Amino acid sequence: MKQMINIALPKGRLGDKVYDIFEKIGFECPSIKEANRKLIFENEKKGVRYFWVKPSDVARYVERGAADIGVAGKDIILEYEPDIYELIDLGIGKCRLAVAAPKGFHDDPQQTLKVATKFSNISQKYFSSLGREIDIIHLNGSIEIAPILGLSDVILDIVETGTTLKENNLEVIETVAPVSARLIANKASFKFKNTQIENIIEGMNSFLEAEAKTKPEAKK
Ligand code: PRP
């Protein structure tokens, strides 16, 4: 019997895009498109089993070997520093990690900077690299509200279109890191299921090359 590859996909819009890529490169699993609340889908013939998990949990499933491979944002990889292989930058789910503050904010380096964020580890590392003392206020969402209510001076968060910042009178003061979706693998699985994982990598790389050729900037 074929050895199954377990794939953790991030639930949501990014995950749908990622699944479409898997489908296009020959690892389809039609039952996944049926509207229901199931979280595990498999296509035995193709040797694939997909799980929908919370985007911020993908790296955990992969690190612990519950999934052999998965797709996680670079933000999550930087935050949790999982012991995994980062295989491919899929070039989707693009955004950036940035520090933002209310318009007109002036930083006083003599004061401890209060930072509201979901990304405590990234914040710690980033500000310590600048030699800046900070107080982290760890939140789980709606981070933009923190400086408005005086809970923090700044935020460190994901900025995609910039609309959330704009609508809350905040602006980026520094970009910390670019973010995009990455194909990641469990280290043991990469060794023991190497042929199947290499097939997926090859398929993804050909898909990405073909995609790049259709983009106008590639024709210049
Ligand atoms: C993310 C992020 C920002 C927003 C940025 O929030 O935390 O709030 O998207 O997107 P924009 O620049 O396009 O406006 P998410 O939707 O994940 O919700 P959250 O408040 O739970 O973090």
Side-chain angles (χ1 to χ4, degrees), residues 141-169:
S142 301
I143 316 295
E144 290 83 0
I145 211 168
I148 299 172
L149 301 179
L151 182 60
S152 74
D153 300 311
V154 300
I155 63 172
L156 189 154
D157 199 16
I158 292 290
V159 180
E160 193 181 346
T161 59
T163 311
T164 313
L165 291 183
K166 210 168 150 206
E167 293 190 354
N168 290 289
N169 286 316

mmCIF file of all heavy atoms in Angstrom, residues 141-169:
data_model
loop_
_atom_site.group_PDB
_atom_site.id
_atom_site.type_symbol
_atom_site.label_atom_id
_atom_site.label_comp_id
_atom_site.label_asym_id
_atom_site.label_seq_id
_atom_site.Cartn_x
_atom_site.Cartn_y
_atom_site.Cartn_z
ATOM 1 N N GLY A 141 -5.561 39.381 19.152
ATOM 2 C CA GLY A 141 -6.204 39.909 17.948
ATOM 3 C C GLY A 141 -6.613 41.350 18.180
ATOM 4 O O GLY A 141 -6.428 41.885 19.286
ATOM 5 N N SER A 142 -7.145 41.982 17.114
ATOM 6 C CA SER A 142 -7.548 43.398 17.189
ATOM 7 C C SER A 142 -6.462 44.253 17.856
ATOM 8 O O SER A 142 -6.757 45.113 18.693
ATOM 9 C CB SER A 142 -8.862 43.564 17.950
ATOM 10 O OG SER A 142 -9.872 42.834 17.323
ATOM 11 N N ILE A 143 -5.245 43.992 17.471
ATOM 12 C CA ILE A 143 -4.085 44.649 18.106
ATOM 13 C C ILE A 143 -4.151 46.170 17.955
ATOM 14 O O ILE A 143 -3.713 46.924 18.818
ATOM 15 C CB ILE A 143 -2.757 44.152 17.455
ATOM 16 C CG1 ILE A 143 -2.747 42.637 17.247
ATOM 17 C CG2 ILE A 143 -1.530 44.594 18.253
ATOM 18 C CD1 ILE A 143 -2.767 41.807 18.481
ATOM 19 N N GLU A 144 -4.712 46.601 16.798
ATOM 20 C CA GLU A 144 -4.711 48.027 16.466
ATOM 21 C C GLU A 144 -5.405 48.899 17.510
ATOM 22 O O GLU A 144 -5.181 50.102 17.574
ATOM 23 C CB GLU A 144 -5.379 48.246 15.099
ATOM 24 C CG GLU A 144 -4.572 47.732 13.911
ATOM 25 C CD GLU A 144 -4.752 46.243 13.657
ATOM 26 O OE1 GLU A 144 -5.509 45.588 14.408
ATOM 27 O OE2 GLU A 144 -4.114 45.730 12.721
ATOM 28 N N ILE A 145 -6.251 48.268 18.302
ATOM 29 C CA ILE A 145 -7.010 49.040 19.283
ATOM 30 C C ILE A 145 -6.135 49.455 20.474
ATOM 31 O O ILE A 145 -6.419 50.454 21.149
ATOM 32 C CB ILE A 145 -8.254 48.211 19.728
ATOM 33 C CG1 ILE A 145 -9.402 49.123 20.085
ATOM 34 C CG2 ILE A 145 -7.916 47.247 20.831
ATOM 35 C CD1 ILE A 145 -10.708 48.366 20.229
ATOM 36 N N ALA A 146 -5.061 48.715 20.727
ATOM 37 C CA ALA A 146 -4.251 48.931 21.936
ATOM 38 C C ALA A 146 -3.699 50.356 22.074
ATOM 39 O O ALA A 146 -3.889 50.986 23.131
ATOM 40 C CB ALA A 146 -3.142 47.895 22.022
ATOM 41 N N PRO A 147 -3.049 50.909 21.036
ATOM 42 C CA PRO A 147 -2.536 52.275 21.224
ATOM 43 C C PRO A 147 -3.642 53.326 21.285
ATOM 44 O O PRO A 147 -3.480 54.376 21.914
ATOM 45 C CB PRO A 147 -1.626 52.504 20.007
ATOM 46 C CG PRO A 147 -1.914 51.415 19.060
ATOM 47 C CD PRO A 147 -2.611 50.315 19.783
ATOM 48 N N ILE A 148 -4.778 53.025 20.669
ATOM 49 C CA ILE A 148 -5.888 53.987 20.696
ATOM 50 C C ILE A 148 -6.406 54.132 22.128
ATOM 51 O O ILE A 148 -6.750 55.223 22.580
ATOM 52 C CB ILE A 148 -7.039 53.517 19.768
ATOM 53 C CG1 ILE A 148 -6.537 53.407 18.323
ATOM 54 C CG2 ILE A 148 -8.243 54.431 19.861
ATOM 55 C CD1 ILE A 148 -7.538 52.765 17.384
ATOM 56 N N LEU A 149 -6.416 53.017 22.852
ATOM 57 C CA LEU A 149 -6.934 53.036 24.222
ATOM 58 C C LEU A 149 -5.842 53.296 25.262
ATOM 59 O O LEU A 149 -6.093 53.237 26.460
ATOM 60 C CB LEU A 149 -7.629 51.707 24.533
ATOM 61 C CG LEU A 149 -8.804 51.345 23.621
ATOM 62 C CD1 LEU A 149 -9.390 50.005 24.026
ATOM 63 C CD2 LEU A 149 -9.882 52.425 23.678
ATOM 64 N N GLY A 150 -4.613 53.531 24.775
ATOM 65 C CA GLY A 150 -3.525 53.811 25.706
ATOM 66 C C GLY A 150 -2.959 52.573 26.389
ATOM 67 O O GLY A 150 -2.206 52.663 27.351
ATOM 68 N N LEU A 151 -3.333 51.402 25.873
ATOM 69 C CA LEU A 151 -2.811 50.151 26.437
ATOM 70 C C LEU A 151 -1.343 49.968 26.046
ATOM 71 O O LEU A 151 -0.563 49.346 26.762
ATOM 72 C CB LEU A 151 -3.665 48.986 25.918
ATOM 73 C CG LEU A 151 -3.378 47.576 26.382
ATOM 74 C CD1 LEU A 151 -3.524 47.454 27.892
ATOM 75 C CD2 LEU A 151 -4.326 46.585 25.706
ATOM 76 N N SER A 152 -0.979 50.505 24.865
ATOM 77 C CA SER A 152 0.417 50.410 24.422
ATOM 78 C C SER A 152 0.799 51.698 23.695
ATOM 79 O O SER A 152 -0.075 52.502 23.350
ATOM 80 C CB SER A 152 0.592 49.219 23.475
ATOM 81 O OG SER A 152 0.018 49.506 22.212
ATOM 82 N N ASP A 153 2.122 51.858 23.449
ATOM 83 C CA ASP A 153 2.580 53.002 22.642
ATOM 84 C C ASP A 153 2.514 52.647 21.171
ATOM 85 O O ASP A 153 2.117 53.448 20.339
ATOM 86 C CB ASP A 153 4.051 53.334 22.985
ATOM 87 C CG ASP A 153 4.223 53.695 24.440
ATOM 88 O OD1 ASP A 153 3.453 54.529 24.933
ATOM 89 O OD2 ASP A 153 5.129 53.106 25.092
ATOM 90 N N VAL A 154 2.962 51.409 20.856
ATOM 91 C CA VAL A 154 3.028 50.966 19.457
ATOM 92 C C VAL A 154 2.479 49.547 19.373
ATOM 93 O O VAL A 154 2.200 48.916 20.395
ATOM 94 C CB VAL A 154 4.488 50.990 18.916
ATOM 95 C CG1 VAL A 154 5.086 52.384 18.971
ATOM 96 C CG2 VAL A 154 5.370 49.990 19.668
ATOM 97 N N ILE A 155 2.367 49.053 18.134
ATOM 98 C CA ILE A 155 2.012 47.650 17.941
ATOM 99 C C ILE A 155 3.061 47.030 17.023
ATOM 100 O O ILE A 155 3.716 47.749 16.243
ATOM 101 C CB ILE A 155 0.601 47.466 17.312
ATOM 102 C CG1 ILE A 155 0.529 48.086 15.902
ATOM 103 C CG2 ILE A 155 -0.472 48.072 18.205
ATOM 104 C CD1 ILE A 155 -0.761 47.761 15.153
ATOM 105 N N LEU A 156 3.216 45.727 17.122
ATOM 106 C CA LEU A 156 3.999 45.024 16.101
ATOM 107 C C LEU A 156 3.025 43.987 15.557
ATOM 108 O O LEU A 156 2.569 43.119 16.295
ATOM 109 C CB LEU A 156 5.239 44.375 16.699
ATOM 110 C CG LEU A 156 6.237 43.801 15.659
ATOM 111 C CD1 LEU A 156 7.662 43.766 16.218
ATOM 112 C CD2 LEU A 156 5.847 42.430 15.148
ATOM 113 N N ASP A 157 2.685 44.128 14.269
ATOM 114 C CA ASP A 157 1.630 43.284 13.724
ATOM 115 C C ASP A 157 1.831 43.091 12.225
ATOM 116 O O ASP A 157 2.734 43.675 11.618
ATOM 117 C CB ASP A 157 0.263 43.930 14.006
ATOM 118 C CG ASP A 157 -0.889 42.934 13.904
ATOM 119 O OD1 ASP A 157 -0.636 41.709 13.915
ATOM 120 O OD2 ASP A 157 -2.051 43.382 13.807
ATOM 121 N N ILE A 158 0.930 42.283 11.668
ATOM 122 C CA ILE A 158 0.902 42.052 10.232
ATOM 123 C C ILE A 158 0.237 43.240 9.538
ATOM 124 O O ILE A 158 -0.823 43.689 9.972
ATOM 125 C CB ILE A 158 0.046 40.781 9.946
ATOM 126 C CG1 ILE A 158 0.733 39.537 10.470
ATOM 127 C CG2 ILE A 158 -0.320 40.674 8.487
ATOM 128 C CD1 ILE A 158 1.958 39.148 9.708
ATOM 129 N N VAL A 159 0.856 43.710 8.466
ATOM 130 C CA VAL A 159 0.225 44.729 7.621
ATOM 131 C C VAL A 159 0.140 44.140 6.227
ATOM 132 O O VAL A 159 1.149 43.687 5.676
ATOM 133 C CB VAL A 159 1.058 46.033 7.581
ATOM 134 C CG1 VAL A 159 0.372 47.063 6.694
ATOM 135 C CG2 VAL A 159 1.257 46.576 8.983
ATOM 136 N N GLU A 160 -1.084 44.110 5.696
ATOM 137 C CA GLU A 160 -1.221 43.577 4.341
ATOM 138 C C GLU A 160 -1.525 44.741 3.398
ATOM 139 O O GLU A 160 -0.652 45.250 2.721
ATOM 140 C CB GLU A 160 -2.299 42.497 4.318
ATOM 141 C CG GLU A 160 -2.290 41.691 3.037
ATOM 142 C CD GLU A 160 -3.376 40.627 3.018
ATOM 143 O OE1 GLU A 160 -3.976 40.324 4.059
ATOM 144 O OE2 GLU A 160 -3.625 40.112 1.910
ATOM 145 N N THR A 161 -2.773 45.189 3.402
ATOM 146 C CA THR A 161 -3.121 46.323 2.538
ATOM 147 C C THR A 161 -2.861 47.653 3.244
ATOM 148 O O THR A 161 -2.779 48.692 2.599
ATOM 149 C CB THR A 161 -4.621 46.264 2.192
ATOM 150 O OG1 THR A 161 -5.361 46.317 3.417
ATOM 151 C CG2 THR A 161 -4.966 45.000 1.442
ATOM 152 N N GLY A 162 -2.798 47.641 4.563
ATOM 153 C CA GLY A 162 -2.623 48.875 5.330
ATOM 154 C C GLY A 162 -3.945 49.512 5.719
ATOM 155 O O GLY A 162 -3.978 50.523 6.429
ATOM 156 N N THR A 163 -5.050 48.901 5.279
ATOM 157 C CA THR A 163 -6.373 49.483 5.543
ATOM 158 C C THR A 163 -6.700 49.549 7.035
ATOM 159 O O THR A 163 -7.206 50.570 7.518
ATOM 160 C CB THR A 163 -7.469 48.657 4.819
ATOM 161 O OG1 THR A 163 -7.048 48.471 3.486
ATOM 162 C CG2 THR A 163 -8.805 49.345 4.847
ATOM 163 N N THR A 164 -6.396 48.476 7.753
ATOM 164 C CA THR A 164 -6.722 48.463 9.194
ATOM 165 C C THR A 164 -5.982 49.587 9.915
ATOM 166 O O THR A 164 -6.560 50.281 10.753
ATOM 167 C CB THR A 164 -6.369 47.087 9.828
ATOM 168 O OG1 THR A 164 -6.882 46.060 8.990
ATOM 169 C CG2 THR A 164 -6.958 46.948 11.209
ATOM 170 N N LEU A 165 -4.720 49.785 9.566
ATOM 171 C CA LEU A 165 -3.952 50.866 10.200
ATOM 172 C C LEU A 165 -4.591 52.210 9.876
ATOM 173 O O LEU A 165 -4.854 53.021 10.761
ATOM 174 C CB LEU A 165 -2.500 50.865 9.703
ATOM 175 C CG LEU A 165 -1.608 49.697 10.126
ATOM 176 C CD1 LEU A 165 -0.186 49.908 9.608
ATOM 177 C CD2 LEU A 165 -1.602 49.543 11.649
ATOM 178 N N LYS A 166 -4.847 52.409 8.586
ATOM 179 C CA LYS A 166 -5.378 53.692 8.118
ATOM 180 C C LYS A 166 -6.700 54.027 8.813
ATOM 181 O O LYS A 166 -6.887 55.150 9.293
ATOM 182 C CB LYS A 166 -5.595 53.597 6.601
ATOM 183 C CG LYS A 166 -5.445 54.915 5.892
ATOM 184 C CD LYS A 166 -5.382 54.713 4.402
ATOM 185 C CE LYS A 166 -5.957 55.928 3.711
ATOM 186 N NZ LYS A 166 -6.480 55.594 2.393
ATOM 187 N N GLU A 167 -7.563 53.029 8.876
ATOM 188 C CA GLU A 167 -8.884 53.287 9.450
ATOM 189 C C GLU A 167 -8.847 53.491 10.958
ATOM 190 O O GLU A 167 -9.833 53.883 11.557
ATOM 191 C CB GLU A 167 -9.853 52.166 9.059
ATOM 192 C CG GLU A 167 -10.103 52.214 7.557
ATOM 193 C CD GLU A 167 -11.214 51.315 7.081
ATOM 194 O OE1 GLU A 167 -11.755 50.546 7.885
ATOM 195 O OE2 GLU A 167 -11.522 51.398 5.877
ATOM 196 N N ASN A 168 -7.700 53.221 11.562
ATOM 197 C CA ASN A 168 -7.568 53.438 13.000
ATOM 198 C C ASN A 168 -6.514 54.504 13.309
ATOM 199 O O ASN A 168 -6.002 54.568 14.432
ATOM 200 C CB ASN A 168 -7.241 52.113 13.700
ATOM 201 C CG ASN A 168 -8.426 51.171 13.679
ATOM 202 O OD1 ASN A 168 -9.417 51.394 14.369
ATOM 203 N ND2 ASN A 168 -8.369 50.161 12.831
ATOM 204 N N ASN A 169 -6.216 55.336 12.276
ATOM 205 C CA ASN A 169 -5.269 56.443 12.434
ATOM 206 C C ASN A 169 -3.890 56.039 12.921
ATOM 207 O O ASN A 169 -3.263 56.743 13.706
ATOM 208 C CB ASN A 169 -5.832 57.501 13.398
ATOM 209 C CG ASN A 169 -6.907 58.291 12.730
ATOM 210 O OD1 ASN A 169 -6.746 58.701 11.567
ATOM 211 N ND2 ASN A 169 -8.023 58.456 13.420
#
